[in-house]
Amino acid sequence: FYYELDNFYGNTRLYVQSKPPYLFGPQSTCSPIRTLKEALEVRVPNTRSALDELTVLQTDGVPETARITPCGMASICLFTDEFQLLKQGADGTLEEIVLTKEGIALDVDDEVIRVAQPTEGDVKWYDVARENYLVWMRDSATPSFLRLYGFNNDALEEGTYFVNVTKNEYPIDKEWYGTKGFRILSLSPLGGPVLVTIFLGFAWGGFMVVVAVMMIVLQLMGCRWTSTSFKRHPTFPDLPAYEFVPENRLPPVKSSMDIAGMDQAAAPRLTE
């Protein structure tokens, strides 16, 4: 089960660099969001853009000048919508299909967690070890991308299913001029359901390997490629034939001044 965002420019340089330095290295920076006040200007309380964890800090009396962790624009833009996958039974009742959220991060995502700790005194508003955070912090190559929300290893039986959006607060469609959605994909050992594309990829790759091997064999056999289908247009003038002359048989090169001072009969036939 994936959530999908479109027109979300999380691949810009400023956004990619705006991450907690203690997690992503010295090339990252918290700017422009370091304090609770700066975070609340992006995820405004009591609006669709509110982030519950930040609102709790404000409610608990944490000063707006307090430094928070994790910091940075990427962390504050964390995707927070929640979903339920339901299957309709024969009697019309709905049964929840459990979506596991443990194991959704890749090994590369786990390597993000470094030994270094945040600066002492920073107020923690989210657990960076949670896998949904690691998945979200992965850089996207384009403004449209998918992120894994959860999975279920049991095969889905034929029937009627519903998706219940239990939390629909992420503001991309209202305040950030983008769109959001979800996708349900059935995976195989080769990847997603686009098996035709996978087959064509393997077929094309195999064809290119066969052609490369044939050309190598013909080259080793001493074969040369010639063309017998080329015919000169009748209006084209006949061009003189040229013969390859080894470098050691070429006449000495003369300057343009020397050639200009020679009469036509004495000038060497350099074109031959």
Side-chain angles (χ1 to χ4, degrees), residues 63-266:
E64 292 187 344
T65 56
R67 297 181 302 182
I68 60 174
T69 183
C71 59
M73 180 65 73
S75 299
I76 300 303
C77 291
L78 178 68
F79 185 82
T80 54
D81 284 1
E82 297 178 358
F83 307 91
Q84 270 186 326
L85 180 60
L86 306 172
K87 182 181 185 302
Q88 185 177 25
D91 57 353
T93 59
L94 297 178
E95 178 186 358
E96 182 179 0
I97 306 298
V98 178
L99 297 175
T100 303
K101 298 180 183 179
E102 296 181 1
I104 60 176
L106 302 175
D107 294 338
V108 177
D109 299 324
D110 292 334
E111 293 175 359
V112 169
I113 299 299
R114 302 174 184 270
V115 178
Q117 297 298 320
T119 306
E120 185 176 356
D122 289 358
V123 179
K124 182 178 179 180
W125 67 271
Y126 204 81
D127 184 6
V128 297
R130 294 178 60 176
E131 294 195 36
N132 66 309
Y133 177 82
L134 298 178
V135 171
W136 171 256
M137 296 300 287
R138 191 185 310 154
D139 295 333
S140 60
T142 64
S144 302
F145 56 88
L146 299 174
R147 289 288 185 270
L148 184 60
Y149 178 81
F151 65 91
N152 187 290
N153 288 325
D154 299 329
L156 295 182
E157 300 176 354
E158 182 178 356
T160 302
Y161 292 83
F162 297 90
V163 173
N164 180 25
V165 184
T166 58
K167 187 176 182 181
N168 184 22
E169 299 177 355
Y170 199 64
I172 186 173
D173 57 334
K174 295 296 183 180
E175 301 181 19
W176 297 348
Y177 309 103
T179 58
K180 60 182 180 180
F182 62 86
R183 291 193 189 185
I184 303 175
L185 302 179
S186 178
L187 302 182
S188 69
L190 296 178
V194 287
L195 297 180
V196 175
T197 305
I198 296 174
F199 173 78
L200 291 177
F202 279 112
W204 178 253
F207 173 75
M208 296 302 297
V209 171
V210 171
V211 171
V213 172
M214 290 178 58
M215 296 184 66
I216 293 174
V217 172
L218 293 175
Q219 184 72 18
L220 295 176
M221 294 174 59
C223 298
R224 296 291 184 268
W225 297 99
T226 59
S227 175
T228 58
S229 61
F230 179 80
K231 295 183 180 180
R232 185 180 299 280
H233 194 276
T235 60
F236 285 1
D238 292 334
L239 300 178
Y242 290 89
E243 178 184 0
F244 173 75
V245 179
E247 186 177 356
N248 56 3
R249 291 177 51 192
L250 290 176
V253 179
K254 294 181 176 294
S255 65
S256 58
M257 183 177 296
D258 295 337
I259 295 177
M262 301 171 62
D263 56 283
Q264 188 67 22

Side-chain angles (χ1 to χ4, degrees), residues 16-31 71 111-117 133 137 139:
V16 171
Q17 291 180 346
S18 184
K19 297 178 179 179
Y22 74 95
L23 289 178
F24 296 90
Q27 72 277 6
S28 301
T29 175
C30 288
S31 178
C71 59
E111 293 175 359
V112 169
I113 299 299
R114 302 174 184 270
V115 178
Q117 297 298 320
Y133 177 82
M137 296 300 287
D139 295 333

